[in-house]
Amino acid sequence: ADLSESAAIAGQAWDKAKEVIEAGQHHLVVLDEVTYPMNWEWIETAEVLATIQTRPAKVNVVLTGRDAPEALIAIADTATEMVQLKHAFEQGIRAKKGIDY
């Protein structure tokens, strides 16, 4: 896999997400698995934090992913650590495009 291409795609996805958050047209924006590109420094954590902190009041943002940066946890209204009880992969069900990736 070409990680520089993956980093560029993550950057483009973040640019779009930031645009959607700032536009204020949606009450809920979900950034699924966004902690990975933050931790890999593909997107700037400081920019994500600033965007969340200055978002329009009616916009709620949900971020998912393991190992959330401490700075993100600090500004979050709610932070949850999930524990896997059962996973489809363990039953031989492969990842599904649009659901798992």
Side-chain angles (χ1 to χ4, degrees), residues 26-93:
H26 302 283
H27 291 274
L28 178 64
V29 178
V30 179
L31 304 180
D32 191 33
E33 305 291 9
V34 74
T35 59
Y36 295 104
M38 292 171 70
N39 287 328
W40 298 333
E41 299 179 356
W42 290 356
I43 60 177
E44 293 289 329
T45 296
E47 186 176 349
V48 174
L49 298 175
T51 301
I52 292 169
Q53 291 176 304
T54 61
R55 74 191 185 281
K58 71 176 186 176
V59 178
N60 295 284
V61 184
V62 175
L63 293 85
T64 72
R66 295 177 190 268
D67 303 318
E70 287 297 322
L72 179 59
I73 294 170
I75 68 159
D77 294 328
T78 302
T80 302
E81 186 171 331
M82 297 175 68
V83 176
Q84 178 181 305
L85 300 177
K86 179 179 179 182
H87 197 284
F89 186 75
E90 295 168 342
Q91 300 165 56
I93 299 171

